Amino acid sequence: MKIGRNSPCWCLSGKKYKQCHEAFDNKLNSLYNQGYEVPDHDLIKVPVEVESIKKSAKINMAALDAVAEKICEGMTTQEIDDIVSDVTTKMGGICAPLNYDGFPKSVCTSVNEQVCHGIPGEDVVLKSGDIINVDCSTILDGYFSDSSRMFLIGDVSEEKKRLVKVAKECCDIGLKEVKPWEPIGNVGAAIKEYAHDNGYTIVREIGGHGVGLEFHEDPWVSYVSNRGEGMIMVPGMMFTIEPMVNMGKHTIKTDPINGWEVSTLDGKPSAQWEYQILVTEDGYELISW
Ligand code: MF3
Ligand code: CO
């Protein structure tokens, strides 16, 4: 797309293109010509969009805070769904999972060997020793936020506690690799290395994703990538860091009956945290966590 140098910039800053994103676009074009994968403009969030996404994230985090306050042994995952749904709707938001591709509930609750996309229900009662991921995704005024946390129920074994801790550290280590003009593969490479060093594996088939204007945007983010691979991260891009860390083998299976719930093939526990991040001029900004 050609844009006049004196025309208003596509980022809606009100500045002239030549004083705003012209140099940025030149850099993108040059990287593209060198064979790198680069984002389209529609993956670059402009400041007004970032502000709206942050409002969505406020609800997203409030819902998880409410879960954190109430979650306990004996609670059903349906009650977690109710908490997330209540907080979200009271704050004016919509739970993104509900009816997404036919998903039947408002949040994903994945217990122990469940890797992701666990379906809340009255029949799933949390017991002492369980670990659970609560993955919350929110829409406000059409803007999306997505983050997830792990919770320990009652008396959890040291080995499961360590898995949960390392899964969190994986996100933090990935976060440190978020730098503008570097390939996104660096994020997954650091995460993979850290997980492996700790004796764990990372799920390969399911990864993270761009997010903000849609629930799932490009790029797809692998956490078993190599340095130098993948799309170049540029300021304004927004994506999730959400590696699924397995205590045993990386292999997974999907429940053939409901078509959603993903579990480890070997039945060993899995843990996942999820951050939504914005790439900035000098690194990153956490949007939801
Ligand atoms: N929050 C999940 C993610 O990170 C979305 C799962 S889709 C759902 O991509 F329908 F299961 F909610
Ligand atoms: Co996500």
Side-chain angles (χ1 to χ4, degrees):
M1 187 184 64
K2 265 277 166 232
I3 175 165
R5 298 191 65 229
N6 287 311
S7 305
C9 188
W10 53 261
C11 82
L12 310 177
S13 63
K15 288 191 231 166
K16 287 181 178 170
Y17 180 54
K18 66 182 180 189
Q19 282 149 6
C20 199
H21 274 88
E22 187 188 40
F24 174 98
D25 282 344
N26 289 342
K27 202 162 170 178
L28 274 185
N29 279 332
S30 149
L31 285 161
Y32 178 77
N33 291 332
Q34 289 169 58
Y36 289 101
E37 204 183 319
V38 299
D40 289 336
H41 280 175
D42 56 9
L43 299 185
I44 312 291
K45 275 70 183 172
V46 304
V48 286
E49 292 169 334
V50 171
E51 287 320 302
S52 298
I53 296 166
K54 281 182 177 171
K55 287 184 192 149
S56 172
K58 209 170 164 182
I59 302 177
N60 187 260
M61 291 188 277
L64 284 172
D65 288 345
V67 171
E69 223 173 83
K70 298 193 181 119
I71 197 165
C72 63
E73 191 180 336
M75 187 183 256
T76 68
T77 51
Q78 179 58 48
E79 289 176 76
I80 295 172
D81 195 86
D82 294 342
I83 294 168
V84 170
S85 174
D86 282 355
V87 172
T88 303
T89 50
K90 281 199 179 107
M91 292 179 77
I94 297 169
C95 295
L98 188 61
N99 300 323
Y100 172 80
D101 252 352
F103 191 79
K105 296 284 175 172
S106 296
V107 66
C108 298
T109 52
S110 305
V111 184
N112 296 329
E113 77 286 356
Q114 285 185 331
V115 168
C116 65
H117 305 162
I119 301 173
E122 303 282 4
D123 54 328
V124 188
V125 182
L126 296 178
K127 55 185 194 309
S128 181
D130 283 346
I131 58 171
I132 178 175
N133 168 275
V134 179
D135 189 342
C136 187
S137 315
T138 311
I139 316 173
L140 179 70
D141 302 331
Y143 295 93
F144 289 79
S145 51
D146 187 6
S147 75
S148 81
R149 302 181 198 165
M150 293 296 296
F151 299 99
L152 305 174
I153 308 301
D155 205 5
V156 173
S157 70
E158 285 308 316
E159 72 167 350
K160 275 163 121 182
K161 272 191 199 157
R162 192 174 79 90
L163 176 71
V164 170
K165 178 171 154 279
V166 170
K168 179 84 187 325
E169 289 164 355
C170 280
C171 288
D172 294 327
I173 272 160
L175 200 52
K176 281 201 239 154
E177 296 289 337
V178 179
K179 292 171 198 153
W181 310 108
E182 298 286 337
I184 201 165
N186 295 359
V187 175
I191 289 173
K192 172 180 69 175
E193 189 185 341
Y194 187 75
H196 289 176
D197 284 351
N198 278 281
Y200 299 140
T201 60
I202 300 271
V203 171
R204 302 180 181 185
E205 300 87 337
I206 311 173
H209 51 94
V211 60
L213 308 184
E214 315 255 5
F215 196 171
H216 298 109
E217 304 172 7
D218 282 341
W220 183 75
V221 187
S222 167
Y223 305 109
V224 289
S225 48
N226 298 305
R227 284 194 178 273
E229 285 177 356
M231 191 180 278
I232 299 293
M233 296 179 275
V234 308
M237 263 173 78
M238 206 181 263
F239 59 90
T240 64
I241 299 184
E242 51 173 325
M244 287 145 237
V245 185
N246 292 356
M247 193 182 283
K249 295 206 165 67
H250 69 80
T251 40
I252 54 173
K253 59 174 185 232
T254 303
D255 186 307
I257 299 178
N258 60 44
W260 277 105
E261 297 182 305
V262 177
S263 302
T264 58
L265 196 57
D266 60 13
K268 293 195 177 161
S270 183
Q272 177 188 29
W273 299 73
E274 175 177 15
Y275 299 157
Q276 176 172 348
I277 65 102
L278 171 71
V279 182
T280 61
E281 296 292 339
D282 51 8
Y284 62 84
E285 183 179 350
L286 274 169
I287 298 297
S288 200
W289 64 91

